């Protein structure tokens, strides 16, 4: 009789432990994660600012052709960085690749492009004035930047142009990893000339790390980032051949 009573007490205790564990697991599963994927929303419904019910938590926007513009609008390029780019262009019967070193200290951008003929083209621009010289020459051509942006000087597309596109011009959008970099990938529909653009924008730096331009199924342009330094030591990159610095004096 005594043993039967002990078995009953033991069984009841085990059942109670199982119920407690089950309740704990249920509460854990119901706890909202710190990274949330909200339901799809139109760009007009996006505020451009990531918020969350939990303070300090990150909300990840579900990237679709309808929401990618709002996601890209939250990204900012760094004020200072240096990186290496490769730009490849294709034509009937051949192709050519240009290597470019880009150094930025906002608002100035320097691009040093190794041209196919062996020369190096140097440009310094702040979006208002552009200085151009070649190799170690001292002669500098200076002119208003006009419509020639820093991106054009680097021979790369301006990914912020995506924000101005009608939503129906965006064919696809997604998160992708390219060369170990987490990116937003965007593909446009064909324009009037038949060209399709693809962009890969880093979620970490806000920089365009790769791009392609296609005509039908044929790639006519490709760029990719080969290295990146978000805290470079700036030396003489913003000095003209005569020793004049374009940067303001820092007192």
């Amino acid at each position: 009789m005594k043993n039967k009573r002990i078995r009953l007490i033991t069984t009841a205790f085990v059942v109670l432990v199982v119920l407690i564990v089950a309740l704990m697991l249920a509460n854990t599963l119901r706890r909202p994660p710190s990274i949330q994927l909200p339901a799809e929303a139109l760009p007009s419904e996006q505020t451009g600012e990531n918020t969350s019910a939990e303070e300090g938590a990150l909300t990840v926007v579900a990237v679709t052709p309808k929401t990618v513009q709002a996601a890209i609008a939250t990204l900012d390029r760094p004020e200072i960085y240096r990186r290496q780019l490769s730009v490849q262009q294709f034509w009937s019967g051949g192709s050519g690749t240009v290597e470019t070193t880009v150094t930025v200290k906002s608002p100035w951008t320097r691009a040093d492009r190794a041209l196919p003929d062996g020369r190096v083209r140097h440009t310094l621009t702040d979006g208002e004035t552009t200085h151009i010289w070649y190799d170690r020459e001292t002669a500098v051509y200076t002119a208003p930047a006009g419509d020639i942006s820093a991106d054009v000087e680097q021979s790369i597309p301006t990914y912020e142009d995506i924000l101005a596109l009608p939503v129906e011009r965006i064919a696809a959008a997604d998160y992708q990893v390219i060369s170990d970099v987490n990116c937003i990938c965007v593909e446009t529909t064909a324009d009037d000339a038949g060209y399709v653009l693809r962009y890969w924008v880093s979620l970490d730096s806000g920089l365009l790390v790769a791009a392609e331009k296609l005509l039908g199924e044929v790639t006519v342009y490709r760029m990719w980032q080969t290295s990146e330094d978000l805290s470079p030591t700036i030396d003489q990159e913003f000095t003209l051949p005569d020793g004049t610095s374009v940067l303001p004096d820092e007192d």
Side-chain angles (χ1 to χ4, degrees):
M1 184 70 179
K2 183 177 180 181
N3 290 337
K4 183 177 180 181
R5 186 176 181 183
I6 291 174
R7 285 196 299 270
L8 288 174
I9 294 173
T10 302
T11 302
F13 178 75
V14 171
V15 171
L16 179 62
V17 170
V18 170
L19 288 173
I20 292 173
V21 171
L23 287 172
M24 291 175 63
L25 288 175
N27 287 335
T28 300
L29 292 175
R30 286 198 296 267
R31 186 178 299 120
S34 59
I35 299 178
Q36 302 174 14
L37 290 173
E40 180 179 323
L42 294 175
S44 60
E45 297 171 342
Q46 302 280 345
T47 62
E49 182 179 352
N50 289 344
T51 59
S52 174
E54 295 185 12
E55 184 177 356
L58 172 66
T59 299
V60 179
V61 177
V63 174
T64 69
K66 292 182 179 180
T67 64
V68 69
Q69 289 168 310
I72 288 177
T74 67
L75 302 178
D76 291 314
R77 303 193 199 193
E79 295 289 309
I80 299 176
Y81 63 89
R82 181 187 291 117
R83 64 178 181 158
Q84 303 279 340
L85 302 176
S86 291
V87 174
Q88 189 173 23
Q89 300 195 53
F90 302 83
W91 54 86
S92 179
S95 66
T97 302
V98 172
E99 307 291 339
T100 304
T101 299
V102 180
T103 308
V104 171
K105 187 170 185 180
S106 186
W108 287 93
T109 297
R110 172 165 176 160
D112 301 298
R113 282 195 284 170
L115 303 177
D117 62 5
R119 294 190 302 165
V120 177
R121 184 180 188 269
H122 311 280
T123 62
L124 272 172
T125 184
D126 64 350
E128 297 181 0
T129 302
T130 299
H131 307 282
I132 302 172
W133 71 99
Y134 292 84
D135 298 322
R136 297 183 179 274
E137 297 175 359
T138 57
V140 177
Y141 172 74
T142 300
D147 295 330
I148 307 300
S149 66
D151 286 346
V152 171
E153 294 290 351
Q154 300 171 58
S155 297
I156 66 174
T158 301
Y159 75 78
E160 288 89 350
D161 289 347
I162 299 169
L163 302 178
L165 288 176
V167 174
E168 59 269 19
R169 281 291 319 282
I170 300 176
D174 198 359
Y175 291 114
Q176 292 186 6
V177 177
I178 180 171
S179 300
D180 296 325
V181 178
N182 296 314
C183 298
I184 293 177
C185 177
V186 186
E187 180 176 325
T188 68
T189 61
D191 62 16
D192 293 340
Y195 289 102
V196 170
L197 282 172
R198 293 174 180 163
Y199 303 81
W200 286 266
V201 184
S202 169
L203 289 168
D204 296 325
S205 68
L207 295 172
L208 181 74
V209 296
E212 286 184 336
K213 188 175 185 178
L214 299 91
L215 182 59
E217 299 297 323
V218 179
T219 301
V220 297
Y221 168 92
R222 179 181 293 133
M223 68 78 57
W224 63 97
Q225 176 179 283
T226 57
S227 69
E228 177 187 275
D229 184 356
L230 299 181
S231 56
T233 299
I234 304 298
D235 294 320
Q236 302 298 316
E237 286 90 340
F238 298 97
T239 301
L240 298 175
D242 65 359
T244 302
S245 174
V246 299
L247 298 176
D249 293 332
E250 296 183 357
D251 298 328

